[in-house]
Amino acid sequence: MRRLIPFGVAAAVELVGVATDNAVLQWLAKPLLAPLLLLWLLRSGRRFDGFALGLIFATAGDVALLLHGEPAFLAGMGFFLCAQISFIVTFARRKRPPVPVVAGYLVLWALANVVLWGPLGELRLPVLGYSLALCLMAAAAAGVSARAAVGGAFFLVSDLLIGLDAAGTTLPGHGLLVMSTYITALLLLTTAWAAAGGPDAARRPDRRTDDGGPATLAGEPATH
């Protein structure tokens, strides 16, 4: 996983920036998180697909959320909505998620919106729509692999914390909790997608290389 070291450095700088409330560090690191994962994904042999597009939308959302005010918050939510839709379509093309998982996430979506409906005020409808896409993404990720399922769950937790804050409930260490769960989600989803390949990933028959070692499957990362 040497190629993920730059992402690890950016993640560490971002978390330090959040912990110390240093805007300069956050501006330096946060916009690099998704692009560094995208670069790793493409260098691992994956084609540009819907998941890669989702990472680009996530980058735009990260930049928007570095700004202050409701317009920036809504813009960030819009970009992340596009990211979630890209992830959903891409994951669903590979394999449909288990029905009980989808049902469970929909129940969670309904309960969360019932609890937060009053405190959210004018943000109710945007959060209602975005949270639905988020829950569907987490459910769709469960159809990819166990690692992707965990990544989707971490993404949900991260954005739920943001929703709680928007509703007036801020937990201790809020910023670190949001960013650490978000960073974990991006890492798990990206590495899970790299391991799974795309929906139409072609694999060569297993064979031996000239030196007697096993050949790399088409679409599989040769190194980490």
Side-chain angles (χ1 to χ4, degrees), residues 33-129:
L33 295 173
L36 286 172
L37 285 176
L38 175 57
L39 179 62
W40 175 84
L41 187 69
L42 297 178
R43 290 184 66 188
S44 296
R46 299 297 178 247
R47 296 186 306 171
F48 189 93
D49 57 11
F51 185 85
L53 180 62
L55 289 177
I56 292 177
F57 281 125
T59 302
D62 281 338
V63 173
L65 292 178
L66 282 169
L67 303 173
H68 298 289
E70 187 172 306
F73 180 80
L74 291 174
M77 189 184 300
F79 284 125
F80 273 107
L81 174 62
C82 293
Q84 305 302 352
I85 292 173
S86 297
F87 293 154
I88 291 169
V89 172
T90 306
F91 293 160
R93 283 183 59 205
R94 179 175 179 80
K95 184 179 178 182
R96 292 183 180 179
V99 173
V101 173
V102 177
Y105 272 116
L106 289 177
V107 169
L108 178 60
W109 167 76
L111 291 176
N113 279 277
V114 167
V115 172
L116 298 177
W117 188 258
L120 282 173
E122 295 180 356
L123 292 174
R124 292 169 184 163
L125 292 181
V127 169
L128 183 72

Side-chain angles (χ1 to χ4, degrees), residues 92-177:
R93 283 183 59 205
R94 179 175 179 80
K95 184 179 178 182
R96 292 183 180 179
V99 173
V101 173
V102 177
Y105 272 116
L106 289 177
V107 169
L108 178 60
W109 167 76
L111 291 176
N113 279 277
V114 167
V115 172
L116 298 177
W117 188 258
L120 282 173
E122 295 180 356
L123 292 174
R124 292 169 184 163
L125 292 181
V127 169
L128 183 72
Y130 174 74
S131 59
L132 177 59
L134 176 64
C135 287
L136 291 177
M137 183 282 294
V144 176
S145 68
R147 186 192 304 179
V150 176
F154 267 103
F155 214 132
L156 179 64
V157 170
S158 180
D159 281 1
L160 179 59
L161 290 169
I162 295 176
L164 286 172
D165 183 61
T169 301
T170 304
L171 300 179
H174 168 79
L176 279 177
L177 288 173

